[in-house]
Amino acid sequence: MEAHVAPITIEPVPASRRSGLKAEVLILFVLGSLVGYFSTFDIQGPLANRVKDWTDRPGVEPLSIALTLAHTGRFADPYGAPTGPSAHMGRVFPMYLAGVLLAVKSGVARAIALRLGAALFHGLELALLPLLSAAVFGEAEIGLAAALLAIVIPCYAITPLWDSSLDGLATIGFCLAVTRIDARSRLQMAGLGAFWGLLLLLSPTLAIPTGVWAFFAARKGRWPLGPIGLAFAMTLVVCLPWTIRNYRVLGGFVPIRDNFGLELQVSNNDGARPGIRQNAASLMKFHPSRNPEQRAEVRQRGELRYNQDKMQQAMAWILSHPNRFAVLTFQRVIEYWFPTTVDFPVATVGIWIVTLLSIPGMILAAVRRDRAASPLLWMLALAPLVYYIVESDPRYRTPLLWISLLFAGYALHAAIHWRGRSVPAR
């Protein structure tokens, strides 16, 4: 029989404490932005060269699309050369990059603007952690400890040219919005649905963690079915124009992105290795960003059909090599939580430290049967599943690293208060 767990009650925050929390949030934003900016300092030169003009076509898919957007207005050519219309990426982030490219003309100035944008995203992400932990656990100090850990321990692989620099902020923003919404208000639920649609257009993989969070909130708050249906309808309204566009220009049904078949095949073949750098030979052989013959095939057959064929090749290999696929998957699970890479050596060590520090917090939450922690645990359990079957990369960890930080802060907060209680009163 399951033991009874008393519900968590959140005490009203005194006005003086609210004022102090605002100051702490502002300080975290400033410190997080500074750390985020200087974390990208070593790539200013290469970044400036990559974004200087349209004729420089690097193999970074979001930037390649953004360059085409800025120059021609078409969402196309993700592989560093003309290959035609694309749904390789979600719509939001390449449009943001294109906006920066159009607004700023100098390569150096563009690099600074992109670094600054990624830094501000990072600062906002850390600043929201105390607000989210106050709403979830009733303790802003847990989120404050988590944010301070992220500032002291450089654990983020901040990449201005990839959507992972924005995914964490978007996810926290959605979770915070869910905690503050009135489910009986159709207007607020419609806004939440529109928010979710934009988030899916940023990165469809965020559907799993945000969907888990909303599910727990709906079950706990007993959300009415009518407003829930309205929220889903608004999500559809936001995403539908992009889906229609994909059907028209690609010739088939693509809700948001069509690149999963390519990523699966590049990650699962006779020469595949678990990590993205270890898998360089496979990328050179099979990925259009690295192989001109593959780009020619995309251009000739069209991106959608090309990715469908890649999916068939990947599934055929997985079914005929189950043992090798199992080994690769196991290695990628380890790499997701404890990455090894030469690209982000400092952040890699930081991820190891944060992961290890989060384990006591998760165990403590499980022992306490803390219902407030349940959605976070389920998010960590389910969200990475898609990354276990494709080549690993530290930036895949970035969007949900804040959950590990929260559990590290949870353990630190409990240890401080336990030590405080153990001191005899004078």
Side-chain angles (χ1 to χ4, degrees), residues 369-390:
R369 297 191 179 184
D370 191 340
R371 290 181 178 177
S374 294
L376 295 173
L377 290 169
W378 277 106
M379 289 164 75
L380 282 181
L382 298 178
L385 292 178
V386 67
Y387 296 118
Y388 296 159
I389 59 175
V390 297

Side-chain angles (χ1 to χ4, degrees), residues 1 19 141 173:
M1 181 179 295
S19 176
E141 287 78 7

Side-chain angles (χ1 to χ4, degrees), residues 208-243:
I208 298 176
T210 52
V212 168
W213 185 271
F215 170 79
F216 273 87
R219 190 177 67 169
K220 179 181 178 182
R222 297 182 179 180
W223 289 5
L225 291 178
I228 291 177
L230 178 61
F232 276 115
M234 284 303 300
T235 301
L236 183 62
V237 167
V238 171
C239 295
L240 188 59
W242 180 245
T243 304

Side-chain angles (χ1 to χ4, degrees), residues 139-158:
E139 293 284 357
E141 287 78 7
I142 293 175
L144 178 61
L148 289 175
L149 284 173
I151 291 171
V152 174
I153 303 171
C155 54
Y156 276 82
I158 300 175

Side-chain angles (χ1 to χ4, degrees), residues 59-292:
V60 180
E61 289 90 339
L63 179 59
S64 294
I65 295 172
L67 287 165
T68 302
L69 266 173
H71 185 71
T72 68
R74 297 185 306 114
F75 200 97
D77 308 337
Y79 305 119
T83 54
S86 177
H88 185 90
M89 299 291 302
R91 185 175 187 177
V92 171
F93 194 75
M95 292 186 68
Y96 154 72
L97 291 181
V100 173
L101 298 180
L102 288 172
V104 185
K105 302 304 180 183
S106 162
V108 174
R110 284 176 171 178
I112 294 174
L114 291 170
R115 289 178 56 210
L116 183 60
L120 294 177
F121 297 154
H122 184 62
L124 283 171
E125 180 177 343
L126 299 189
L128 291 181
L129 287 178
L131 302 179
L132 183 62
S133 71
V136 175
F137 297 110
E139 293 284 357
E141 287 78 7
I142 293 175
L144 178 61
L148 289 175
L149 284 173
I151 291 171
V152 174
I153 303 171
C155 54
Y156 276 82
I158 300 175
T159 51
L161 298 180
W162 291 95
D163 58 294
S164 56
S165 62
L166 181 55
D167 289 350
L169 172 61
T171 306
I172 294 177
F174 179 85
C175 293
L176 189 59
V178 168
T179 65
R180 299 191 173 192
I181 202 163
D182 180 2
R184 296 167 297 180
S185 169
R186 293 184 176 273
L187 180 61
Q188 292 187 34
M189 290 295 286
L192 184 67
F195 188 176
W196 203 41
L198 289 173
L199 192 142
L200 298 183
L201 289 175
L202 171 65
S203 177
T205 57
L206 299 180
I208 298 176
T210 52
V212 168
W213 185 271
F215 170 79
F216 273 87
R219 190 177 67 169
K220 179 181 178 182
R222 297 182 179 180
W223 289 5
L225 291 178
I228 291 177
L230 178 61
F232 276 115
M234 284 303 300
T235 301
L236 183 62
V237 167
V238 171
C239 295
L240 188 59
W242 180 245
T243 304
I244 294 173
R245 172 264 180 194
N246 290 340
Y247 186 85
R248 292 180 59 187
V249 303
L250 298 176
F253 178 68
V254 180
I256 297 175
R257 295 179 66 167
D258 66 356
N259 68 317
F260 185 66
L262 169 62
E263 306 304 331
L264 193 66
Q265 191 272 332
V266 167
S267 306
N268 298 279
N269 56 72
D270 290 338
R273 296 294 181 269
I276 190 168
R277 290 305 171 199
Q278 301 164 327
N279 204 35
S282 180
L283 288 166
M284 291 296 295
K285 183 176 182 180
F286 294 113
H287 204 288
S289 290
R290 312 291 180 88
N291 189 313

Side-chain angles (χ1 to χ4, degrees), residues 8-30:
I8 295 175
T9 58
I10 300 177
E11 297 294 334
V13 181
S16 59
R17 183 69 188 95
R18 288 198 299 268
S19 176
L21 183 58
K22 290 180 181 178
E24 291 164 356
V25 167
L26 180 59
I27 292 171
L28 287 175
F29 169 68
V30 173

